[in-house]
Amino acid sequence: MIYCVWYPSGGFGHFVNAVLTLHGKGFVRPKKTLEFSSNGNSHNLDLVVPKYFKDCWPGGIEFLDNKNYCVLVDNGINNKSDAFKSTFPNATVIKICYCKHSWPVVARTMIEKAMASNIEEQLPTNNWDTEEPWARREKYFLFLRDHPLRHAWKPVNENEMSNNEIDVAELYQDYDDCRTSLNAVVEIEDFYPLWKEWRLANAKYIDPVITANNVISCVLTKKSEDLTHITDIWTQAVIYYYIWFKFNIEVPHNDFADFFTNTDQIRELVK
């Protein structure tokens, strides 16, 4: 059986490939061991099957009927073509999607992994004649809110994922959720050590979303929490973005130039 992992940029496809080829039942195993790079990718793990890249597959492999194979479909985040299905007509497709909640994770991995850059270089504030934290926070927020790719890679039915669609959030929120989602498509043995290592290697992309979700939860439950420990500008921008899509309110950037000190301020803003 061939399993095509169809994914946007950000290293999510390579992670799923590692899970399947190292821990999936009946899969042909890679020759190398897995090591995560400094930016969290797992590209050093050799691919058992050549990658389907930008609508082209080089071939060069004979698929055995009694083995399982993983094929990465990497057309880039801007190209959602499913022409690969004609190359692998009998394959099971695992499509990795993202939604408004998980978009900030994809957005930053897109910049740092796919573009081999960073948010400071790609989202400068020099044309605003200021490098103040509030300006960088606003710049990052506007990027998250207005980028056209925020609307890309959605599931076929936005209100319900099919068995062969996996949201990026299902990969990082909880190991049990991750394994359950993948097991719905293919039988996989325990891979907690791999998941834990991947989650740690990609914490800089994932933790801001987890933090933002916790802040919103406190606002909704009227729980007062100190926020002065949240000093990372990107994380603050992700919280602004979560406030925007949850309450349809854009935080007045000048009024909160020093960010929020506690969740009570947010609750007053959105009430």
Side-chain angles (χ1 to χ4, degrees):
M1 172 66 75
I2 299 173
Y3 292 85
C4 289
V5 179
W6 185 22
Y7 63 101
S9 305
F12 309 105
H14 278 266
F15 168 63
V16 173
N17 170 75
V19 174
L20 267 56
T21 58
L22 292 173
H23 299 277
K25 184 176 180 180
F27 277 81
V28 177
R29 304 300 187 202
K31 295 180 174 64
K32 297 181 181 179
T33 57
L34 175 62
E35 294 181 5
F36 289 98
S37 70
S38 59
N39 72 359
N41 77 50
S42 52
H43 290 189
N44 81 302
L45 186 69
D46 54 304
L47 299 179
V48 172
V49 180
K51 180 184 293 188
Y52 184 98
F53 184 64
K54 293 186 177 180
D55 286 325
C56 181
W57 188 62
I61 184 174
E62 180 183 354
F63 295 105
L64 303 177
D65 292 338
N66 62 340
K67 291 290 185 179
N68 289 331
Y69 299 86
C70 178
V71 180
L72 289 180
V73 179
D74 182 8
N75 287 328
I77 197 168
N78 288 302
N79 181 358
K80 294 187 290 182
S81 167
D82 63 356
F84 70 92
K85 292 180 180 179
S86 63
T87 303
F88 307 102
N90 299 315
T92 295
V93 178
I94 301 174
K95 182 182 179 183
I96 300 177
C97 310
Y98 57 82
C99 63
K100 59 187 178 184
H101 296 84
S102 50
W103 157 239
V105 178
V106 176
R108 188 157 182 181
T109 57
M110 175 181 68
I111 290 175
E112 300 209 5
K113 292 185 180 183
M115 298 172 65
S117 187
N118 57 67
I119 55 176
E120 291 80 12
E121 181 178 332
Q122 294 299 319
L123 303 172
T125 57
N126 50 9
N127 59 331
W128 291 8
D129 297 322
T130 179
E131 283 292 325
E132 290 294 318
W134 70 263
R136 290 170 51 210
R137 190 185 309 124
E138 181 176 1
K139 186 80 171 186
Y140 298 163
F141 162 76
L142 293 174
F143 167 77
L144 290 170
R145 187 193 68 181
D146 297 338
H147 200 291
L149 289 177
R150 179 169 71 86
H151 305 285
W153 293 87
K154 292 182 179 180
V156 174
N157 183 347
E158 288 191 48
N159 298 317
E160 183 179 358
M161 305 285 287
S162 75
N163 284 342
N164 286 29
E165 294 176 325
I166 298 176
D167 192 287
V168 168
E170 295 178 76
L171 300 178
Y172 65 71
Q173 282 180 335
D174 179 83
Y175 167 70
D176 290 334
D177 287 345
C178 180
R179 187 179 180 189
T180 298
S181 296
L182 291 173
N183 257 327
V185 184
V186 58
E187 187 175 350
I188 301 172
E189 63 188 23
D190 179 71
F191 61 94
Y192 178 73
L194 189 161
W195 179 86
K196 185 178 181 181
E197 187 177 1
W198 171 79
R199 175 65 177 79
L200 182 63
N202 289 272
K204 67 183 294 184
Y205 314 113
I206 299 168
D207 286 351
V209 165
I210 301 298
T211 298
N213 191 60
N214 290 339
V215 168
I216 296 300
S217 178
C218 288
V219 172
L220 292 173
T221 58
K222 299 181 179 180
K223 182 180 179 182
S224 181
E225 285 287 329
D226 179 77
L227 300 179
T228 57
H229 64 285
I230 302 176
T231 57
D232 176 66
I233 302 300
W234 175 262
T235 302
Q236 293 175 351
V238 173
I239 292 171
Y240 275 23
Y241 165 75
Y242 264 58
I243 291 171
W244 169 74
F245 79 67
K246 188 66 179 180
F247 302 105
N248 197 30
I249 291 176
E250 180 175 342
V251 176
H253 300 280
N254 288 331
D255 292 351
F256 293 94
D258 297 321
F259 193 60
F260 300 106
T261 58
N262 56 64
T263 54
D264 296 332
Q265 288 181 302
I266 301 177
R267 193 167 68 250
E268 284 296 312
L269 175 68
V270 303
K271 69 178 183 180

